[in-house]
Every structure is written in C-alpha cells, then in structure tokens.
Amino acid sequence: MAEMAVIKTPAETALSVAFATAKGKLPGAAALRETAFKRFETAGLPHRRVEEWKYTDLRALMRDAKPLAPPPDAAAKARASNAGAAFAAVEGRRIVLVDGAFVPELSDLAGLEPGLTIRSMAHALATGDAAVATRLGQVVPTDNVAVALNTALMRDGVVIEVAPGAALARPLHLVFFNAGGAPAAVFTRSLAVIGKAARAMLIESHEGVAEADYQVNTALEIAVGDEAHVDHIKITGGGAGTLHVSSLMAAIGAHARFNEFLFTTAAAVVRNQLFVHFKGEETVAGIRGATLLNGKQHADTTLVADHVAGACISREVFKTVLDGESRGVFQGKIIVAPQAQKTDAKMSAHALLLSEEAEADSKPELEIFADDVQCGHGSTAGALDDDLLFYLKARGIPHKEAESLMIQAFVGEAVDGIEHAGLRDTLIDHVAAWLKTRE
Amino acid sequence: MALLEIKNLHVSVDGKKILNGLNLTVEKGQVAAIMGPNGSGKSTLAHVLAGKDDYEITEGSVLFEGEDLLSLSPDERAAKGVFLAFQYPLEIPGVATMMFLRTALNAQRKKRGQEELSAPDFNRRVFDAAAKLGIERDMLRRGVNVGFSGGEKKRNEVLQMALLEPKLAVLDETDSGLDIDALKIVSDGVNRLRSPERSFVVITHYQRLLDYIVPDVVHVLSKGRIVRTGGKELALELEAKGYAQYQEEMA
C-alpha cells in the first residue's frame, strides 16, 4: 500500500530545517537525537485527534517554529542577574539557565554540600559522560512526541547528582530565564539522580521578560532512590506570549517520599506533562498543582501515574482557577499493574470558573489490573457559591475581597501540601498577586 | 427617629409574592420579636434586610437611621451596623475563622474610616468573646463552621455579632436545631450584647426562645405583613392558641 503523503505544517517544516542545520553543532548524543527526530517526523506535531493531546492541539497552537535560541550574550545574562529573586524566602541554591544555557557565573556553586554535584548537560553530552548516557531517556521511557523533540534538539540543562545518604540543607533552585532579545526556541534537558536515602528539594522556576516571544520545550528526568525523600516544585511564569511545553519523567524507588507540585500562572500556552513511575514498594507520593489563568491563556496538565510496584500511596490534587476566556485542561491517568497490589491512589481535579467564557476540561482515568487496591477519582467544575459569597458580604467583606478569600481557600487545599513553609508562603503571595490583577 | 423603618414593603421571589405591604418600626435599643407560621415571610424579611439579591423589591422603602438601606450592597449595610445571624450558617472550608473575623472586622472599620486593629488587640478581643461563649481556640483556627455542630455554628454567629458590634442584629430562627443547653448559651450571648445603643429583630416560630431573650415588643407576621403587635405576653398567647386565627383573618 502506498504511503500517505503527509503535508507538513510550516512549523513542522521549520523544525526539520532547524534540526538538519543544528544537529552538527548540538552537543553529543548524535544517534539518540536522530532516532528521536525520526519519531517526531513520523508523528508530526500532536493534534486534537491524538487522544493525549485532544485538548491541546499543538499543531494548531504552533503556527511557526521560532529559531533556536543563540547562546546568551552579556546583555541577556545581565537581564537575568535578578532572576529567581521572587523566591528569596526559600533561601535556595540558585542555578541559572539563560535562554536554555547553563550560566555558572550567575549560579551559586560555592561550597556544595558533600555528595552534591551540579554540572552542565551540554558538557556531559559533548564528552559522552557515561553516567548521563545510560540514564538519558531511560528513567521513564516514553514515545511522547514532545519528549522526542526535546531529545532531538536539547542543547543544555543541568545534571544534578545527590549521593546516597546525603541530605541537602538548602533547596536547589533552578531558574530558567527567557531573556527575550528576539523570538526564540529553547530546548533544555536536565537530569537529577537522587541516591538511596538522600534528601533533596528541587525548585524550578520558569521566568522571563514580559515581552518574550518564546517556544520552550523543557524536560527533566528524576531518578529517586529507595528511601529517598524528594520534593520537586515547578513554577511556570513569565513571558505572556510564551508557548511552554514541559515534561517530567520521574521514577521512584521503594520506601521513598516524593512530593510534586506544579504552580502555573503565566505563559500563553502551557502543557505540563508528568510521567511518574512507582518502581518500588511502600512509597508515598503527593502530586499536586494549582493553576490560575485569565485572558486567553491555556494550560494543560497531563499526568500518568504508573503504579508498577505494590503498596504505594499516591494523592493527586489539582486546582484550576479560570477567569476571562482562559481554558484549563486536566488529564490524569492512574495505572495499577497486575502485581501492584495494595495500591492506594486518589486523584481529584477541581476547576473554579470565574467567568462565563472560561472553559475547563477534565479527563480522569483509572486503569486497574490488580484486584486488591483502593483507587478513586473525583472531578468538579463550577462557579463560586453565591450563598457563601453572600455570607461573607453580610459580614462586611466587599464582593471582590469575598471572591478572593474563596479563591485562596480553593487553591489553598493544594498549596497547603507544600512542606517548605517559605515556599508555601511565597506561592500564597503569588496567588494574592494574581488576585490583585482582577481588581 | 426610629433605627429601622420599613414602609409598605412588597417583595417577590421568582414571581411569587412573599412580603405584601409590610410595615415595621424598630426603635433604638428595642428588642422586637417577629413570630409567624412557616411561609409567612420571616426569613425573606431577614434576607432582604441583609441585602441578598435573589429578592425582587417591587414597592416600599426601608430606612436605617433615616437612610435608604435598599440601595446599599450587603457589605455596606454591614459596615453601617446591620448584622444577620443566619438560620443555617455556612461552612467555608479553607478560610480559618480567625482570618474570616479579621477580614470582616477590618473591612468594616476601613469603610467607616477607622484604623485596622493591631494583631494583639484583635486576638485579645476574639479570645475574650470566644471564652464567654465556650468556643475553644482550636475551633477558631479551623475553617469557618467546618465540622461544627448546629449549636457550635450558632455560637459562632453570636461570636461574630459580639466582635462586629452591630447597631441592628437580625436573628433568623436562631433557636432552630438547638437543644436546651445550646439555646441557653446562645441566648446568654445575645443578652450580654443588649444595650440602649443596639436593637434586635428576633425572628422565631416558637415562643421558647423568647423565654430566654425577652422582647420589648412582639409582632405577628402572616402572609407577608404584620397583622398584630403587642407586648411579650402576645408570645404566650400564640403558643397557646397557635397561628390559625391570623391565617384565617387574612384569608
């Protein structure tokens, strides 16, 4: 049978040209890149007839492909000098990437705790670092097209290793800064390997100048060892015109604790994909998120929590607040393998619609192959309760303030799951700042 | 000048007429009981005074300290000194009672051009008032009314009243769902707030509450208007004879 002629979109064509032009200059992993790009070329940009991308039609949303970002110049680095300052209360170790390139001179690399190493992904790829090569793309293997594109075009990122038993006193704060000189595409790939019984907190904040016209494809692989305790918090902000696609591949060992939190308020289009693999028994995980959107923003959270090992507990709580003509998407799938008995997984997704034009799409799925499990999901979408608003107003609280109180309470249920008090307070302030923009 | 003056008030809900030319005057410092059978319009009157917007006011006026109350939003009415104790206080998960009370009090103070209360000053006021009502500090840290019993919710209403110090408190069936012990605690709380500067409209179906909160005047509401006014002994008469005679008179 003759192969169907596939007509490429301008963005797909531009990506093919970009790959052909850039691949000789991209650091290392040539074979891996070629295979990944073939995967992308075969599939093309995902569109609404691809179930995983049903609500976020990347083919329609990406009218063009921006040129690959050049290495940041002095001016771009200067603009990034204050990046991450909003999280000062966290007192983290700041690691700065500007336009996708790791910038050691802006990063706080002095006095690393024993057992902690931080290096450039570009360098690791260029030198064929064996520890990275064996892990890359292998933490949670996926044929996801956005991940394939990331693998093909990844330029830099960070490689973090925390030795077994090491406990990091300070959170690691990865600041991804879009300097916004000209429209650009940024592909970053990072890897974190957290050893057995180690303790680490990883914060990712994606920031940028307001006018940045960027396409960001960022991916992080985290391997969490047995008995380790890892918190990962990703904050997506900055650059009102930005298209931001993010993938997290996390594999969790046995008797571990893993807390994931996604906080999203900015960018024009956001797709946060999470692939969480429960590889060892009796791990406890919280996977939560809060999204606040207005205008014409679109944010999609797509989660696959794959319980391969038994007796793990996972709690998924996602809250979305939608104003204006924004659209919030939640797709959450819990898979329980036949051998993963005694799995306890509960997922909830709630959307609050503040305007008539806002839209919430929710698709929870359970795929359970074991017979002795406790799994459930709940999903709601609705407006603020008029009777509750009246109760608050009858006590003297003006309408907008009453709405704000209720919105804070709504997202609070998710934000309260963050263990770090400084970060929790910072995000509560972020919510308050977002609410101020409504007034 | 009377504190509250309602003249010829006509109110409909979803096209159905509930209040039908109601006239009522409440003097400063007066405790006025409004008694009436189910469906006579008692709760509608309470909600209209507080400013709930599901009600269509087709005719009449409500003056509070000589000012048009109906043109004000619910929060403006609260800042002027109108307080509604809800028949069914709502639960607000995620909003701690302390936070709720501080936001409410400071919003009212701000609207009246007063300074916000300092945290220690505020805390002291809340803890004092709560102790008098037997409200544990732990309850103040929890979400508003979340997991509270019926009695605890009503005590929480009285706590809010004590802090907000209204000029007019409208108690909508405060006795509903209370056992005798809870009724006593709530009534004692209300009685402590009685003063020549504060008026009460006590809405109830039963005379029982009026044994504890003794009114200066009793009004009988039937089919959307006040049909009889008398002293506190009128409540006893109603308890003995029921509301049937008033419903027939209207028919």
Side-chain angles (χ1 to χ4, degrees), chain A residues 385-388 390-399 401 405-406 408-410, chain B residues 52 74-75 78 83-84 86 90-91 93 95 99-100 103-104 107-108 145 157 160:
Chain A
D385 184 322
D386 280 335
D387 289 333
L388 277 181
F390 175 65
Y391 189 46
L392 294 169
K393 289 190 280 187
R395 295 296 175 258
I397 302 171
H399 184 79
E401 219 176 309
L405 258 184
M406 286 179 60
Q408 279 168 312
F410 175 79
Chain B
K52 199 163 198 297
D75 54 302
F83 180 93
L84 170 64
F86 282 61
L90 290 104
E91 299 189 6
V95 179
M99 160 89 163
F100 168 63
T103 307
Q108 292 201 17
N145 292 328
E157 293 292 288
Q160 294 167 38

